[in-house]
Amino acid sequence: MRIVMQPARRSQKDVDQHYQDTIVHPVSFDDHADVLEAATVDQLKQLFPDGQAQMWGITPGKKDINVSRIKKMRPGDWVFFSGDKRIYFGGTIALMWRNKALATRLWGTDAAGSTWEYMYALSGTRGFDIPIQEIREFLDWNPNRHIMGITVLSQDESDALQTFLTLDASPAATAEPADTQDEEATVAAFDGELERTAYRAQRGEQATLKKRLLQGPTGQCALCGRDLPGSFLIAAHIKKRSMCTDDEKRDLANIAMLACTLGCDAVYEHGYVTVASEGVLQVSPLAAQVPEVAAYIHDKLTGRTVTWWTPKREPYYEWHRSHTFKAAPPT
């Protein structure tokens, strides 16, 4: 999976209108069947059974400058929309195709007479509110670097951002199968240390945290409130550990909470729930897309207030809300 940076500054009137027309209001396939190829309609309906999808497009650019970049994009890649110094929206490329007639109908043409004919449909979309400066610092970019055109990040940068923002897979057209034999050969040939010292140190830190949080053989899950044996509880970092500073990692009194392995740790880690100010447990509107997750949240978490919330822990919970929580896409 690669990550694509899509500049789309909504403070520009035409960009915001395009966003309203085909992101806020998904495109109905049947309404445009006269300009869509039958094979594309079939693929779209397989991916989106309700008959509509959020869509975006890219122009070829002057002297086709964007075409070589577009060729690097694949279904299954993540796209982040950026503008006005922030990342505000993202999702998985479900399908890509080229259709000048449909793009012109949806968005018209730009000042040069071009249209956004390299089109893609998005699945699993969610909202973000992350300053682009934070991304620059995380990826060690030049402080003055701007996302001026469609940009496909390297695999290393993509992997780092995927971990940073806990990006989950969403429906996408079938990509080329991985070469399993090559992957297995690479693993077999690796003679380095599989159990690295850093990981052992992290496990030691986890044990220390758990001892601090768990005062006896049983404890209370911060999210569902159930009293459980210690073997079913972990010291879960409120803010993703890999993104904490050294000082934050050492803030043992505030950086973590007990979360049960019976479901709460997973739904928090993947952003289906978060903790709002004053401890109110907030459920992602996207949880309904995964019925099993929605059922667990309904049975165990809906309406709860998290007693572990404190003003000192609030900065860590706030980070989770802006980086991990699956917020609704902005309108």
Side-chain angles (χ1 to χ4, degrees):
M1 182 199 79
R2 300 282 285 272
I3 287 179
V4 180
M5 305 301 286
Q6 171 73 71
R9 194 169 69 185
R10 292 186 64 190
S11 58
Q12 293 182 337
K13 186 176 180 180
D14 57 342
V15 173
D16 186 62
Q17 188 62 58
H18 293 177
Y19 184 89
Q20 292 291 329
D21 289 342
T22 60
I23 298 293
V24 175
H25 301 99
V27 178
S28 168
F29 314 143
D30 288 342
D31 288 350
H32 304 284
D34 59 316
V35 292
L36 273 167
E37 293 184 3
T40 302
V41 174
D42 288 343
Q43 286 182 294
L44 286 168
K45 287 187 173 181
Q46 288 177 15
L47 292 164
F48 303 95
D50 63 350
Q52 59 180 4
Q54 295 168 308
M55 295 183 185
W56 202 251
I58 308 165
T59 66
K62 190 175 182 180
K63 296 184 179 179
D64 289 342
I65 190 173
N66 289 332
V67 175
S68 61
R69 301 169 184 173
I70 294 166
K71 288 180 178 178
K72 296 178 182 178
M73 299 165 59
R74 298 286 186 275
D77 288 347
W78 255 81
V79 177
F80 287 129
F81 282 38
S82 67
D84 302 305
K85 301 181 180 180
R86 310 191 77 76
I87 286 176
Y88 63 89
F89 174 74
T92 299
I93 297 176
L95 186 68
M96 298 180 66
W97 70 97
R98 187 179 183 184
N99 191 315
K100 190 171 184 177
L102 177 59
T104 303
R105 178 182 292 180
L106 294 175
W107 302 304
T109 59
D110 63 14
S114 297
T115 191
W116 295 263
E117 60 196 80
Y118 290 91
M119 301 182 64
Y120 56 87
L122 287 162
S123 62
T125 59
R126 57 188 271 205
F128 295 91
D129 185 15
I130 302 173
I132 197 65
Q133 180 59 30
E134 188 174 337
I135 301 298
R136 289 193 193 107
E137 293 172 358
F138 178 71
L139 295 178
D140 199 26
W141 287 355
N142 184 304
N144 297 317
R145 178 172 173 178
H146 296 283
I147 302 167
M148 302 300 293
I150 192 75
T151 303
V152 182
L153 299 187
S154 70
Q155 191 63 63
D156 285 346
E157 289 179 329
S158 298
D159 290 344
L161 272 184
Q162 180 182 11
T163 301
F164 180 49
L165 299 171
T166 315
L167 305 179
D168 297 329
S170 292
T174 303
E176 294 180 4
D179 191 329
T180 305
Q181 288 185 335
D182 280 355
E183 291 177 352
E184 291 179 352
T186 300
V187 173
F190 177 71
D191 60 0
E193 184 183 2
L194 292 175
E195 187 74 1
R196 296 184 183 277
T197 301
Y199 180 59
R200 288 198 292 270
Q202 184 176 336
R203 289 193 302 176
E205 178 189 323
Q206 164 70 210
T208 301
L209 265 176
K210 186 171 179 179
K211 286 179 182 178
R212 183 184 181 94
L213 299 176
L214 186 65
Q215 299 299 312
T218 64
Q220 185 187 71
C221 174
L223 299 175
C224 67
R226 287 179 289 182
D227 288 312
L228 296 166
S231 56
F232 291 94
L233 295 165
I234 65 169
H237 278 75
I238 297 169
K239 174 181 176 179
K240 190 184 291 289
R241 182 192 179 280
S242 58
M243 304 306 143
C244 291
T245 65
D246 284 346
D247 286 344
E248 289 172 338
K249 290 174 185 175
R250 297 175 193 278
D251 186 11
L252 302 183
N254 300 300
I255 192 58
M257 62 183 176
L258 286 177
C260 72
T261 59
L262 302 179
C264 288
D265 177 59
V267 296
Y268 182 84
E269 175 68 20
H270 288 274
Y272 287 107
V273 297
T274 195
V275 177
S277 184
E278 305 298 329
V280 176
L281 197 143
Q282 187 175 345
V283 178
S284 167
L286 307 184
Q289 297 175 2
V290 188
E292 295 81 5
V293 171
Y296 179 85
I297 292 172
H298 179 268
D299 291 344
K300 305 298 182 185
L301 301 176
T302 299
R304 280 191 48 77
T305 297
V306 176
T307 59
W308 286 64
W309 183 92
T310 66
K312 289 185 178 180
R313 289 180 178 139
E314 168 57 18
Y316 303 131
Y317 283 121
E318 193 282 328
W319 189 96
H320 182 270
R321 291 196 297 272
S322 62
H323 292 71
T324 304
F325 182 59
K326 289 178 166 60
T331 58

